[in-house]
Amino acid sequence: MTSSLVRLNIVIPLLLLFNPGTEAGLINIFAGTINIAAGVVSTFIPTSIFSYTANKLIGFSLTTVAGVVDKICTIGLRIKKHILWSGVDLTQIKFQLRTACSKYTYSLRDAWKLLNNSDFHPSRKVVIMVSGWTQTVNHSDTIDKMATVFNCRGDVNFLALDMDQYLNTFYTWAVQNTDSIALGLAQGLTMLKEVIPIENIQLIGHSLGAHIVGQAGRYFTEKTGEKLPYITGLDPAKTCLSADQRIGRDDAHKVEILHTNPGVLGIAEPLGHIDLYASYLRPNANGCWNVVCSHTRAVDYYVEFLYPGNKSGFLAKRCASWEHLRAEQCTGKNYAMGNIDYWAEGEIYALDLNPQSPFGRDSLSKYGSREWDCGLCQR
C-alpha cells in the first residue's frame, strides 16, 4: 500500500491541476494512470485512501477527492478483476432469523424450513437486511440495531443475510462479490416466495448492501417474471461500482433511497422512486464531522424512524428539482417520511433533522436512553 500511495502522492495532484474541481474532465487523464490504479486496487480501502488524498489535496472539495478515488479504483478494478477475484460459494450464504433472544440459520435453498420454526410467523411480513463492507452477520452494529427495532415493533420476521466473509475482505474483492451474493439472495427469495406471499417481503441494504438488494431484485425478476414490492437503500456506496451494479428504481415496485454522505462514500444522484437527502447535498450529515459518521447515519436515522411512535417524527420537504436541492431551496409541502406517496417516480425530498438523537424533529425523546429496552432479550 505504501508504494502505491507514494505514486498517488505524485499523480493525483497533477490530475487535479489540469482539471480542478471536475470529475468529468478527469476521465481522459485517468486513461494514462492505469499502472497506478492497478497497483492500488489490490489493497484498496476507500476510507484510508480517501483520508490520505484529502490531506494531500487541501483546497479541493470532499466530493472532488471522492471522485478521484472512485475513478482510480474503477479503472484498477477493470484491470485486475480476473486476477483478484476468487468467486463466491453460494452454499456459504445463508439467512439468519433474529428474535430478541435467539438466532437461527438456514441455507438459502432451505428457506422453506423457516415454517418449521415456532419463532417464525408466516402471517407477518418478512424484512431481509443486508449490511455493508467489513460487516459479518454476528459482528454488525447495523444488523444488531435493525434486529432490535424490528423485534421491538413485533410485526415482522427479521432476517439478516449471512454473507460469510465475502464482504469482510479487501474492498475491491467485496465489490466484485456483490453480484454473486445478489444472485444467491435472489435464489433464496424464489424459495421463500413458495411459503410467503411476495408482497410481504421487503429488502433493506446499507452501503454495498444497498446494491446487493438492488441487484437481487433484478435477478429475482429475471427468474420469476415478478417484481419485489419494496426495497430500501441506505446511503448506497459510491466507490468502485459500475452503473450496472447500482441499485435503481427498476429493481422493485417501490425503491426508496436515503442519502447521508452524498458524493463521498455514498452516491449523490437520485436512484429510486423516492430519494431522501438528510442534509441536502452537503457531504457531512448534521452533527457529523467525518465521512464515516455521515455514511453510517443512514442506519441510525432509519432505525429511529422505525421505532413505534416515530413514524411521523421525520419531516421531509419536497424539492421541485435537482437544482433546487443543490441550492438548498426546497420549498414544497412538508410530509412525514412514512406518509410520502412512494408510487411517485423521481421525487426528491430534503429532511429536517437534529444533529443528535433523537434525530427526528418530533421523535420520541426516550429512544436511545438507558431505560429503552424495547426489542432486547428480557430473559
Side-chain angles (χ1 to χ4, degrees):
M1 175 70 82
T2 301
S3 61
S4 297
L5 289 179
V6 169
R7 285 177 283 175
L8 285 174
N9 186 28
I10 298 171
V11 174
I12 291 179
L14 291 176
L15 295 177
L16 287 169
L17 178 64
F18 291 102
N19 293 269
T22 66
E23 289 185 34
L26 294 175
I27 296 176
N28 291 333
I29 296 178
F30 270 117
T33 65
I34 290 177
N35 62 319
I36 298 165
V40 172
V41 71
S42 60
T43 52
F44 188 86
I45 301 174
T47 49
S48 297
I49 293 187
F50 176 82
S51 298
Y52 177 86
T53 53
N55 289 333
K56 295 298 179 183
L57 299 175
I58 296 173
F60 293 96
S61 70
L62 289 175
T63 52
T64 298
V65 175
V68 172
V69 173
D70 182 35
K71 294 297 190 302
I72 289 177
C73 178
T74 302
I75 292 174
L77 196 57
R78 290 173 184 168
I79 298 166
K80 285 202 165 186
K81 181 174 182 179
H82 300 294
I83 299 174
L84 293 175
W85 189 46
S86 58
V88 172
D89 180 359
L90 292 182
T91 64
Q92 300 302 310
I93 310 298
K94 303 176 178 68
F95 286 131
Q96 185 183 85
L97 172 65
R98 286 279 194 103
T99 68
C101 298
S102 302
K103 302 174 183 178
Y104 308 94
T105 300
Y106 298 86
S107 70
L108 298 178
R109 294 177 180 176
D110 292 334
W112 60 271
K113 291 183 179 179
L114 284 161
L115 288 180
N116 299 328
N117 191 321
S118 60
D119 282 333
F120 185 84
H121 304 277
S123 61
R124 296 179 182 175
K125 292 188 176 183
V126 174
V127 171
I128 301 173
M129 177 70 206
V130 182
S131 56
W133 179 51
T134 73
Q135 304 268 314
T136 58
V137 71
N138 292 314
H139 299 89
S140 169
D141 287 342
T142 296
I143 292 175
D144 290 345
K145 290 176 181 178
M146 287 287 181
T148 300
V149 70
F150 279 112
N151 281 305
C152 174
R153 290 168 61 97
D155 57 354
V156 304
N157 300 288
F158 179 78
L159 304 179
L161 190 66
D162 181 355
M163 297 171 284
D164 193 52
Q165 299 297 312
Y166 292 119
L167 287 192
N168 187 25
T169 183
F170 292 130
Y171 183 78
T172 45
W173 291 19
V175 169
Q176 291 176 89
N177 289 339
T178 58
D179 186 73
S180 295
I181 294 171
L183 179 60
L185 176 55
Q187 292 174 350
L189 290 170
T190 60
M191 297 293 103
L192 198 58
K193 88 178 189 74
E194 298 301 319
V195 294
I196 298 294
I198 191 62
E199 60 269 19
N200 285 351
I201 297 176
Q202 177 187 1
L203 304 185
I204 303 174
H206 173 239
S207 192
L208 277 183
H211 300 298
I212 290 173
V213 296
Q215 291 179 73
R218 294 196 291 277
Y219 280 129
F220 179 82
T221 299
E222 289 177 9
K223 287 177 173 295
T224 66
E226 301 179 70
K227 268 195 175 184
L228 294 173
Y230 191 9
I231 290 178
T232 300
L234 303 177
D235 209 34
K238 169 186 173 71
T239 310
C240 299
L241 289 139
S242 60
D244 60 353
Q245 289 178 296
R246 292 182 172 188
I247 186 174
R249 67 180 62 158
D250 292 331
D251 299 339
H253 285 298
K254 183 166 72 173
V255 177
E256 66 179 355
I257 307 293
L258 176 57
H259 302 264
T260 56
N261 189 218
V264 188
L265 296 183
I267 294 173
E269 296 79 17
L271 299 167
H273 297 98
I274 296 292
D275 283 78
L276 299 145
Y277 290 83
S279 299
Y280 291 96
L281 291 175
R282 300 172 206 162
N284 282 328
N286 191 12
C288 282
W289 299 100
N290 61 70
V291 296
V292 174
C293 170
S294 299
H295 193 45
T296 57
R297 272 289 168 87
V299 174
D300 295 330
Y301 293 155
Y302 199 69
V303 166
E304 183 180 310
F305 161 72
L306 289 170
Y307 269 103
N310 284 351
K311 184 175 182 180
S312 299
F314 285 70
L315 298 179
K317 190 180 294 289
R318 186 178 180 277
C319 304
S321 67
W322 174 259
E323 289 70 28
H324 285 83
L325 177 72
R326 185 188 297 276
E328 300 189 9
Q329 295 179 349
C330 298
T331 57
K333 180 181 176 181
N334 273 326
Y335 293 85
M337 192 166 89
N339 295 326
I340 296 173
D341 178 10
Y342 282 91
W343 297 102
E345 186 167 320
E347 295 286 317
I348 299 173
Y349 290 84
L351 290 164
D352 182 20
L353 301 174
N354 295 319
Q356 58 189 14
S357 181
F359 299 109
R361 295 294 187 186
D362 296 318
S363 290
L364 299 176
S365 59
K366 65 180 179 180
Y367 165 70
S369 68
R370 292 182 179 179
E371 294 75 25
W372 188 262
D373 59 2
C374 184
L376 300 177
C377 184
Q378 301 300 318
R379 289 178 185 170

